[in-house]
């Protein structure tokens, strides 16, 4: 693998090589190359902004950020971001990395699909989200010179139909855990691929909550019931999924 792309060095320490080997053995070509590009976009963004960041921590977070989309988590009910964050944490603890650095990587992976928050946190956390947004949705595309974009794509090719393939990868990895998409844009992938998917409407959930059924066991007149609020099955799992309080 190339060691430098457009001025960005790919970490080549022992632990970085082990991260690369693990992710290479775990992810599809689609996700593996995507993760490498996310690192490049993130590092290039950090350099352009004059951010001070730890390349190895950024690299580890970028490489683990989509591990939760792989088949090993086909039975998980957690958010895929949390699966990836936990995998990164376990790997780094096994290599004696300081807990503060592990926490940084955990947050970077867990929050990479949560825009509006990472940019106010440590640079490594902000840059994973920025890199992922660039590679998937083209956010910040024009801030990269043509030469930089071409160099990154030449090093880590982007599939001709990457956009549809990554959407399908998200869908295939989350269709068995629809409630994990609550509060994120991940439900867009399920809605795009499954015409029968019902989104959770939080306003309806709030109005149908137990607080509104304390009188005679029924919701106040004019308030919505639990029927049709977008959850699945008998709704018994919805309280936990929505987080009371």
């Amino acid at each position: 693998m190339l060691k430098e792309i457009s001025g960005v060095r790919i970490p080549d320490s022992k632990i970085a090589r082990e991260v690369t080997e693990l992710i290479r053995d775990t992810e599809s070509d689609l996700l593996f190359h995507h993760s490498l590009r996310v690192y490049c976009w993130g590092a290039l963004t950090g350099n352009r902004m004059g951010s001070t960041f730890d390349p190895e921590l950024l690299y580890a977070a970028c490489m683990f950020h989509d591990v939760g989309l792989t088949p090993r988590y086909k039975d998980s009910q957690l958010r895929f971001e949390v699966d990836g964050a936990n995998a990164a944490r376990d790997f780094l603890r096994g290599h004696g990395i300081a807990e503060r650095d592990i926490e940084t990587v955990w947050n970077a992976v867990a929050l990479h699909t949560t825009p509006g928050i990472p940019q106010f946190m440590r640079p490594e956390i902000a840059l994973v989200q920025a890199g992922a947004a660039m590679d998937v949705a083209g956010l910040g595309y024009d801030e990269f010179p043509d030469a930089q974009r071409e160099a990154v794509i030449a090093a880590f090719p982007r599939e001709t139909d990457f956009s549809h393939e990554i959407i399908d990868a998200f869908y295939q990895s989350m269709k068995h855990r629809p409630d994990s998409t609550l509060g994120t844009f991940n439900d867009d992938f399920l809605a795009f691929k499954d015409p029968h998917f019902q989104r959770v409407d939080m306003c309806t959930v709030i109005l149908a909550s137990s607080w509104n059924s304390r009188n005679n066991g029924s919701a106040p007149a004019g308030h919505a019931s639990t029927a049709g609020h977008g959850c699945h099955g008998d709704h018994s799992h919805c309280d936990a999924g929505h987080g009371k309080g």
Side-chain angles (χ1 to χ4, degrees):
M1 187 167 64
L2 294 177
K3 294 185 178 180
E4 184 170 321
I5 296 99
S6 198
V8 167
R9 289 191 60 80
I10 304 297
D12 193 39
S13 64
K14 181 177 183 295
I15 189 170
R17 291 194 298 272
E18 291 185 19
V19 168
T20 303
E21 182 178 356
L22 174 62
I23 302 304
R24 171 70 283 184
D25 291 343
T26 303
E27 292 187 343
S28 63
D29 288 346
L30 176 82
L31 294 179
F32 180 67
H33 290 146
H34 162 62
S35 297
L36 287 164
R37 292 194 304 271
V38 168
Y39 171 75
C40 292
W41 305 133
L44 286 167
T45 298
N47 291 343
R48 184 176 66 247
M49 297 175 63
S51 300
T52 300
F53 60 91
D54 185 318
E56 287 204 339
L57 294 183
L58 178 61
Y59 184 74
C62 289
M63 296 307 289
F64 274 98
H65 87 283
D66 275 348
V67 162
L69 297 175
T70 59
R72 70 171 55 185
Y73 298 102
K74 62 182 178 63
D75 296 321
S76 174
Q77 294 301 307
L78 298 177
R79 283 178 55 166
F80 85 88
E81 306 95 317
V82 173
D83 283 327
N86 289 344
R89 177 197 61 201
D90 295 344
F91 176 88
L92 295 175
R93 278 183 178 165
H95 287 73
I97 302 301
E99 284 297 319
R100 182 173 185 271
D101 291 338
I102 292 174
E103 181 180 5
T104 295
V105 172
W106 196 96
N107 282 322
V109 177
L111 293 172
H112 81 270
T113 62
T114 308
I117 295 177
Q119 64 261 44
F120 300 106
M121 303 178 73
R122 292 187 62 179
E124 296 84 1
I125 301 170
L127 295 176
V128 173
Q129 198 274 326
M134 163 60 179
D135 203 59
V136 173
L139 298 183
Y141 182 91
D142 292 332
E143 296 177 9
F144 297 86
D146 291 344
Q148 284 187 344
R149 292 197 301 265
E150 292 168 4
V152 172
I153 297 302
F156 309 120
R158 182 184 177 88
E159 287 75 6
T160 303
D161 197 22
F162 173 81
S163 295
H164 280 94
E165 289 187 37
I166 195 68
I167 288 172
D168 191 61
F170 280 121
Y171 171 70
Q172 295 298 334
S173 303
M174 289 186 284
K175 64 182 181 180
H176 70 280
R177 43 178 163 179
D179 292 337
S180 73
T181 67
L182 175 67
T184 76
F185 53 67
N186 291 331
D187 61 354
D188 289 339
F189 301 115
L190 302 186
F192 183 79
K193 299 287 288 188
D194 180 1
H196 302 294
F197 174 71
Q198 292 182 304
R199 298 177 189 271
V200 173
D201 173 6
M202 277 305 300
C203 293
T204 304
V205 171
I206 291 169
L207 294 175
S209 77
S210 297
W211 288 110
N212 294 319
S213 60
R214 297 179 69 188
N215 297 323
N216 300 320
S218 61
H223 284 199
S225 68
T226 56
H229 68 47
C231 288
H232 306 273
D234 63 3
H235 315 311
S236 62
H237 63 288
C238 293
D239 286 341
H242 302 323
K244 287 185 179 179

